[in-house]
Amino acid sequence: MRLVDVRELPLDGIESTADGGLRIGATVTNSDLAAHPEVRRRYPALAQAVLAGASGQLRNMATVGGNLLQRTRCGYFTDLSKPCNKRAPGTGCSAVEGEHHNHAILGATEHCVAIHPSDMAVALAAFDAVVTYESADGTGQLPLAAFYLPVGDTPHLETALPAGALITGVILPPAPVAAHSRYRKVRERASYAFAIGSITGALDVRDGVVREVRLAFGPSRPGRGGTGGRAGPDRGARRTPRRSPPPRSAELAAARPLPHNAYKVTLLRNLVVALLTELTEEAAR
Amino acid sequence: MAPSTTSALTLNINGEKHTLSVDHRTTLLDALRERLDLTGTKKGCDQGQCGACTVLIDGRRAVSCLQLAVAAEGREITTIEGVADGDRLHPVQQAFLDLDGFQCGYCTPGQICSAIAMIEEHAAGWPSAATEDVRPEAGVPELTAEEIRERMSGNLCRCGAYVSIVQAVAEAARAEEEAV
C-alpha cells in the first residue's frame, strides 16, 4: 500500500477555453477558485457558493476534485452502531425514521435520504459543468448531471467515475447568463455551517423580457433531481414581477419530504422568489 | 518484509529545519506538539471544526489537525512561536494584548495565526461570503466588523470573546495598512 499526496499534481490551473468557458484544475483550492477574477466576473455564483462553504482555513486546503467527492455528513453514516445502506448495503436507512431534519427532500429514496453537502456543486450544476478524469485506460468526461448516480436502491454507489480514475478538473461551458448569477444559502448559524437550503440562480433579461432562467437547488442527494439537476432554460418568459407567485419548478414539485424536513419545501420556494427578485432588480438597474 | 509504517522527514518550521521520524498517520499538529515541543499550537476539536490549531503553511492559514506531517515536508510552516520579530510582537499579537482579544487564551494562538493570514487575504483582494458584490470590478470590500466576523468564522472562542477579537483584528489591520 502506498500513500500518495495528489495535491502535488500539476492540476492547479484555471484557464479560459477557446469557446469562452473556463477549465478548472482538480487541485485548485477553494480559496484560489473563489478569488480568481474570471470566475468572479463570468460565474459570480460559483465564487459565492465556494465562499459560503467551510472556513478560510479549510478553503485553503480543500480542492475542486476533493469537494466533488466528499462524503455525506449524515450522522448515521459515521455511526457504526446504526444501520446505513450507504455504509453497509442492505442494512436499512436509520434517518428515514430517525433524525432527518437536515436531510434531502430532492433525489432521496426510501433507501437513503443523505445529502451531498457541497455548495460548489450547486453552482456547477446550474452552469452545466463537465467533470474530466483520467485513468489507466485514458481520459474521459462526465457532465455533472451524470457524474452523480441516482440513489435508487444503491446509495453506496455515488458516482459514475470509473474505478481507478482520478478527477483532473471541471470544464465550465460558456454561459453569458452566468454573469448575472447569485448563490444564496440558509444555514443554522451565520457562517461556517452546512446548508439546510441553498440555491444558485441566473437570469438573463433583455428589453424587459427574460431570455433565460437557471436554477439549481442544494443541498440534496446528488443525482438527477438533486444537486445535479436544474430548471430551465425558460426562454422568452415575461420578466418576473415583484411579489409574483413562485415560478413553477418541476424540481420542487418532485420533492418527497419526510415529517421533519418538510419545512425545506417552503424554504426553497421562498429562496427562489427572493433570488429571482434580487436578480430581476439587478437587471433593471 | 513488513510494510513500513514510518517516514523520516524534514520539516521547515519558523525558519528552522527539524528532522524526525513519524508514523505515517501523524498529523502536523501532533508532530508540532508531541515531537517538537512547539506547544503554542493548540489542540481543540482535532477534526477541523474549531481553528485552535491554525498555523501558516507557505503563508496561508490551515488547520494543522487535518494535515499529515508527511504532506507538510518541503513547506514553510509558521506557528505562533514564529510570528514575532524577536522581542517585538507581531502587530496582531500586540492588538490582541492591547484590546483584550481573549479570556482563557486557549484559542488565541489559532486566532492570531488566522488573523495574520486573513489580513493578507483581504489585502490581496479576496472577497468573502459577506461581500455584497464579488465581481472584481466592485473592488476590495472594506474590512468591516461583518467582514471580519465572516472571514474569522473558522476560529471558535468558547469564552465568547468575539467582540474584543473583532476589535483587535480591525485595529491590527488598520495598523498594517498605515505601515504600508
Side-chain angles (χ1 to χ4, degrees):
Chain A
M1 188 95 82
R2 243 164 187 251
L3 184 64
V4 177
D5 188 355
V6 293
R7 295 179 307 173
E8 303 288 327
L9 293 172
L11 299 170
D12 60 350
I14 299 179
E15 58 203 35
S16 291
T17 55
D19 60 1
L22 281 183
R23 182 182 290 110
I24 302 161
T27 65
V28 169
T29 64
N30 287 23
S31 299
D32 286 332
L33 179 61
H36 197 278
E38 288 308 314
V39 174
R40 291 156 61 190
R41 186 175 291 124
R42 291 194 237 166
Y43 306 89
L46 175 58
Q48 289 177 325
V50 170
L51 290 169
S55 65
Q57 289 95 318
L58 298 185
R59 287 191 295 272
N60 278 338
M61 308 171 83
T63 61
V64 170
N67 193 319
L68 290 171
L69 290 181
Q70 67 184 299
R71 305 309 302 269
T72 184
R73 265 67 174 188
C74 176
Y76 299 109
F77 178 69
T78 43
D79 182 351
L80 299 179
S81 72
K82 298 288 192 303
C84 169
N85 283 328
K86 187 186 284 296
R87 174 169 34 77
T91 56
C93 175
S94 302
V96 170
E97 297 280 317
E99 169 62 55
H100 60 243
H101 74 286
N102 279 342
H103 285 61
I105 58 167
L106 296 169
T109 72
E110 71 269 30
H111 302 286
C112 181
V113 292
I115 59 166
H116 189 276
S118 172
D119 293 291
M120 180 190 79
V122 182
L124 292 183
F127 302 144
D128 293 337
V130 175
V131 180
T132 62
Y133 62 85
E134 197 168 323
S135 71
D137 298 329
T139 60
Q141 296 195 342
L142 281 167
L144 196 69
F147 177 78
Y148 293 117
L149 296 170
V151 183
D153 56 1
T154 54
H156 59 292
L157 303 175
E158 297 193 335
T159 75
L161 199 64
L166 182 81
I167 295 178
T168 51
V170 168
I171 295 172
L172 287 174
V177 67
H180 310 284
S181 64
R182 272 173 184 259
Y183 183 72
R184 278 183 69 146
K185 174 175 179 178
V186 179
R187 42 189 158 179
E188 290 176 334
R189 55 186 190 204
S191 182
Y192 199 15
F194 293 107
I196 56 174
S198 69
I199 182 174
T200 300
L203 189 69
D204 182 13
V205 181
R206 266 171 286 167
D207 305 324
V209 175
V210 174
R211 304 287 171 175
E212 187 174 358
V213 183
R214 291 196 189 186
L215 295 173
F217 302 106
S220 199
R221 178 58 176 82
R224 292 175 193 83
T227 294
R230 68 169 175 83
D234 183 9
R235 286 171 206 284
R238 294 266 173 180
R239 183 197 296 183
T240 313
R242 292 185 72 173
R243 291 188 189 78
S244 62
R248 279 167 192 273
S249 161
E251 291 263 318
L252 284 183
R256 294 278 174 273
L258 293 164
H260 300 145
N261 66 7
Y263 73 96
K264 287 192 178 191
V265 178
T266 313
L267 187 148
L268 285 181
R269 190 176 293 134
N270 290 345
L271 271 176
V272 173
V273 176
L275 193 74
L276 287 180
T277 304
E278 258 178 60
L279 288 168
T280 309
E281 287 173 353
E282 199 175 287
R285 277 200 290 273
Chain B
M1 194 178 80
S4 160
T5 59
T6 59
S7 289
L9 74 162
T10 301
L11 294 176
N12 185 350
I13 303 163
N14 302 327
E16 268 182 53
K17 287 197 181 340
H18 300 263
T19 298
L20 66 164
S21 175
V22 297
D23 184 295
H24 298 322
R25 299 165 295 182
T26 309
T27 62
L28 176 59
L29 172 60
D30 283 341
L32 290 170
R33 289 183 56 85
E34 310 295 335
R35 302 293 306 283
L36 300 171
D37 222 16
L38 289 164
T39 54
T41 305
K42 302 304 185 205
K43 182 183 281 193
C45 67
D46 206 21
Q47 53 183 2
Q49 293 183 348
C50 78
C53 66
T54 301
V55 299
L56 307 181
I57 301 178
D58 290 338
R60 289 194 173 185
R61 51 183 171 158
V63 283
S64 55
C65 71
L66 296 186
Q67 173 81 34
L68 291 174
V70 290
E73 189 164 36
R75 311 266 181 192
E76 205 172 290
I77 298 154
T78 306
T79 68
I80 191 67
E81 288 92 345
V83 300
D85 180 9
D87 286 340
R88 207 163 60 92
L89 292 178
H90 188 283
V92 176
Q93 288 178 304
Q94 191 62 53
F96 268 69
L97 273 180
D98 293 344
L99 293 163
D100 285 336
F102 53 87
Q103 282 184 37
C104 84
Y106 195 79
C107 72
T108 311
Q111 297 275 2
I112 289 172
C113 286
S114 185
I116 289 170
M118 184 278 277
I119 291 168
E120 283 177 19
E121 291 167 7
H122 175 258
W126 291 15
S128 84
T131 307
E132 175 58 25
D133 189 347
V134 298
R135 285 174 288 202
E137 291 71 23
V140 185
E142 196 188 331
L143 205 49
T144 59
E146 192 195 355
E147 282 280 353
I148 291 171
R149 283 175 177 274
E150 166 57 31
R151 288 167 190 260
M152 291 292 292
S153 71
N155 292 84
L156 306 186
C157 169
R158 288 288 296 270
C159 302
Y162 294 113
V163 172
S164 303
I165 291 171
V166 170
Q167 288 173 351
V169 174
E171 168 60 21
R174 195 194 54 75
E176 286 190 30
E177 209 168 85
E178 268 180 17
V180 170

